[in-house]
């Protein structure tokens, strides 16, 4: 059974006295879950790794859910870790891996967060869960709420890809489209609604849902036979994935199960890259930016106020770096993933590979480094990012001669 110890502020040390307090009562920072892992021993590694559970809940003891009976699962976690030899050869990387989270239940990494977060909502007795989202979180929250028997309300900015809105609606969510094209623009309305209606907040201001992405560290530890990659590159919006992965590796290290750490990379669109900018200018803070237009819509966040500073510290502690990529490089990476690795990713997910390619060209990543790119969302989430040439769709006569002509 998981041994949830406390909700504590990582800034000032303030500790919550109730399990449903998410923000520090002293300094206003998002609280962090602290787990009691003292009961785990080296022999537990073998037990966990030999488990027949092929979901992230194989690592139940590391998550803040008190009873297995509360777990809400759609089969998330343990996505393929693929060694991509053709892609690696093209980019000059001998040990390039992609963690293919396009195969998660709703097609994005948000399922890792929401399985844990909504399981905790069940334990805390909430009846409605909510999230503002550019689409992936909306679809995921809706799906896990449906499985848990909870009501879901999702807010999306105008212009969000229709496929993502449809996915949330199909899973029973009340979808509210808000005027404006950014998450920041509807933040005030969302916060007011959570307070007014008593909804369970599924944003990164929720310390329980933030724990879900620790599963990256645990799965990579397992799938790489307890080895640690030199680099883990993660598509980054608000920074939750970086913070959680670092916390996961810290927990493994604290138990003596790993003896070194990966270097983390914050991969962002240059149109919304405040964390990468802070890393590259040695800034002590993450300065908000006005998010510009980008094909990487799922990571278009200009003000990562909840976890941005924590992500900055995690990347620095890992001796990592940050990269802001233009749309051209992101779309090229999306194309390479499909043609050379067989993975159809949305642009926001392909930004990790774009960062790997850039860092390899610049000599930051060495040819023999073990590199893991987290591919965080399916290409069907944003099909408009790929244009099929009209001639590809032009019908041909049902004859061999016509087929030969078409094949050139």
């Amino acid at each position: 059974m998981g041994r949830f110890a406390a909700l504590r502020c990582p800034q000032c040390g303030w500790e919550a006295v109730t399990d449903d307090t998410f923000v520090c009562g002293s300094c206003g920072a998002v609280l962090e879950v602290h787990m009691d892992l003292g009961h785990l021993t080296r022999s537990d590694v073998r037990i966990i790794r030999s488990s027949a559970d092929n979901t992230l809940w194989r690592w139940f003891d590391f998550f803040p859910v008190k009873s297995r009976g509360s777990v809400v699962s759609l089969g998330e976690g343990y996505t393929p870790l693929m060694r991509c030899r053709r892609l690696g050869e093209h980019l000059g990387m001998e040990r390039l891996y992609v963690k293919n989270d396009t195969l998660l239940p709703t097609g994005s990494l948000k399922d890792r967060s929401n399985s844990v977060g909504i399981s905790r909502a069940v334990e805390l007795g909430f009846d409605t869960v909510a999230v503002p989202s550019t689409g992936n979180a909306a679809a995921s929250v809706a799906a896990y709420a449906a499985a848990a028997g909870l009501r879901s309300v999702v807010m999306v900015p105008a212009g969000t890809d229709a496929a993502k809105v449809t996915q949330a609606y199909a899973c029973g969510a009340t979808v509210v489209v808000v005027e404006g094209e950014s998450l920041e623009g509807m933040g005030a309305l969302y916060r007011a609604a959570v307070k007014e209606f008593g909804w369970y907040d599924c944003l990164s201001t929720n310390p329980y849902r933030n724990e879900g992405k620790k599963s990256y560290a645990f799965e990579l530890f397992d799938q790489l036979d307890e080895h640690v990659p030199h680099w883990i590159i993660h598509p980054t919006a608000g920074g939750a994935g970086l913070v959680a992965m670092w916390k996961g590796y810290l927990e493994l290290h604290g138990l003596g199960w790993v003896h070194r750490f990966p270097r983390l990379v914050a991969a962002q669109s240059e149109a919304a890259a405040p964390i990468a900018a802070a890393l590259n200018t040695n800034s002590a803070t993450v300065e908000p930016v006005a998010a510009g237009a980008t094909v990487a819509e799922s990571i278009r966040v200009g003000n990562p106020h909840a976890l941005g500073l924590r992500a900055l510290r995690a990347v620095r502690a890992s001796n990592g770096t940050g990269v802001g990529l233009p749309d051209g490089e992101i779309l090229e990476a999306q194309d390479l993933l499909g043609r050379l690795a067989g993975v159809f990713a949305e642009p926001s997910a392909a930004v990790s590979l774009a960062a790997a390619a850039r860092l390899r060209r610049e000599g930051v990543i060495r040819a023999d480094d073990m590199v893991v790119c987290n591919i965080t969302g399916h290409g069907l989430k944003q099909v408009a990012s790929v244009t099929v040439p009209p001639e590809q769709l032009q019908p041909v006569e049902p004859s061999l001669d016509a087929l030969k002509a078409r094949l050139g």
Side-chain angles (χ1 to χ4, degrees):
M1 177 178 289
R3 299 187 182 182
F4 167 51
L7 289 173
R8 191 175 301 139
C9 179
Q11 302 289 107
C12 70
W14 184 87
E15 192 167 302
V17 295
T18 63
D19 289 355
D20 59 356
T21 301
F22 294 171
V23 177
C24 178
S26 178
C27 71
V30 176
L31 299 181
E32 185 173 74
V33 168
H34 283 259
M35 298 295 297
D36 177 6
L37 303 175
H39 62 293
L40 296 174
T41 67
R42 182 66 198 180
S43 63
D44 288 300
V45 177
R46 293 188 297 274
I47 296 171
I48 292 171
R49 293 191 62 202
S50 63
S51 169
D53 187 346
N54 287 320
T55 74
L56 61 83
W57 293 103
R58 177 182 296 190
W59 298 83
F60 178 82
D61 287 272
F62 289 82
F63 296 118
V65 176
K66 295 182 179 181
S67 168
R68 285 189 179 271
S70 302
V71 169
V72 183
S73 177
L74 296 174
E76 61 292 315
Y78 276 85
T79 52
L81 180 65
M82 305 163 49
R83 185 168 183 177
C84 299
R85 298 182 188 276
R86 292 187 67 218
L87 183 56
E89 182 179 352
H90 179 83
L91 296 175
M93 288 184 275
E94 297 169 11
R95 293 192 290 171
L96 174 64
Y97 292 80
V98 301
K99 181 69 167 157
N100 187 8
D101 269 9
T102 72
L103 299 180
L104 284 169
T106 73
S108 87
L109 80 166
K110 301 296 185 181
D111 295 344
R112 296 180 180 275
S113 299
N114 289 312
S115 182
V116 176
I118 291 179
S119 295
R120 195 69 179 116
V122 170
E123 289 190 327
L124 292 172
F126 283 86
D127 59 14
T128 301
V129 299
V131 72
S133 168
T134 53
N136 283 336
S140 182
V141 166
Y144 281 86
L150 305 179
R151 181 188 179 209
S152 62
V153 179
V154 302
M155 294 183 182
V156 299
T160 298
D161 194 278
K164 296 176 182 178
V165 175
T166 301
Q167 191 178 11
Y169 177 79
C171 290
T174 298
V175 179
V176 181
V177 180
V178 181
E179 292 180 354
E181 296 185 354
S182 70
L183 286 176
E184 289 88 347
M186 61 186 182
L189 172 62
Y190 176 76
R191 290 189 295 272
V194 167
K195 183 177 180 180
E196 175 71 18
F197 303 118
W199 295 338
Y200 180 81
D201 180 9
C202 293
L203 265 180
S204 55
T205 46
N206 179 332
Y208 299 120
R209 60 82 72 190
N210 294 341
E211 291 287 283
K213 290 174 189 166
K214 289 193 310 188
S215 55
Y216 278 119
F218 306 148
E219 288 177 30
L220 290 174
F221 169 78
D222 195 355
Q223 291 173 319
L224 291 171
D225 199 22
E226 303 186 20
H227 293 289
V228 177
H230 295 97
W231 299 89
I232 302 176
I233 307 178
H234 192 72
T236 301
L242 297 166
V243 173
M245 278 191 293
W246 185 242
K247 188 169 184 284
Y249 275 106
L250 285 173
E251 290 175 350
L252 292 172
H253 188 269
L255 290 168
W257 295 1
V258 299
H259 301 288
R260 67 178 186 85
F261 296 100
R263 299 174 72 177
L264 302 180
V265 178
Q268 299 195 284
S269 163
E270 68 177 11
I275 295 173
L279 288 164
N280 290 317
T281 59
N282 293 317
S283 174
T285 59
V286 178
E287 296 299 324
V289 301
T294 175
V295 70
E297 65 177 33
S298 294
I299 56 172
R300 185 176 177 265
V301 173
N303 183 14
H305 60 91
L307 296 177
L309 183 58
R310 216 174 296 178
L312 182 67
R313 291 170 178 168
V315 174
R316 284 192 173 139
S318 77
N319 196 28
T321 189
V323 185
L325 287 307
D327 280 2
E329 290 183 39
I330 295 171
L331 290 172
E332 181 182 1
Q334 181 191 33
D335 179 64
L336 289 173
L337 269 170
R339 289 192 298 105
L340 298 181
V343 176
F344 182 28
E346 66 173 328
S348 298
V351 73
S352 58
L353 182 67
R358 169 81 72 84
L359 292 173
R360 177 69 190 103
R361 289 196 304 271
E362 294 176 350
V364 177
I365 291 177
R366 300 176 302 181
D368 60 349
D369 284 347
M370 182 189 292
V371 181
V372 174
C373 293
N374 290 337
I375 308 301
T376 51
H378 203 290
L380 291 176
K381 298 276 192 175
Q382 194 178 338
V383 293
S385 65
V386 178
T387 301
V388 181
E391 60 270 19
Q392 293 275 337
L393 302 176
Q394 184 65 38
V396 300
E397 294 178 3
S399 69
L400 193 56
D401 287 341
L403 177 59
K404 288 179 179 178
R406 172 65 183 79
L407 296 176

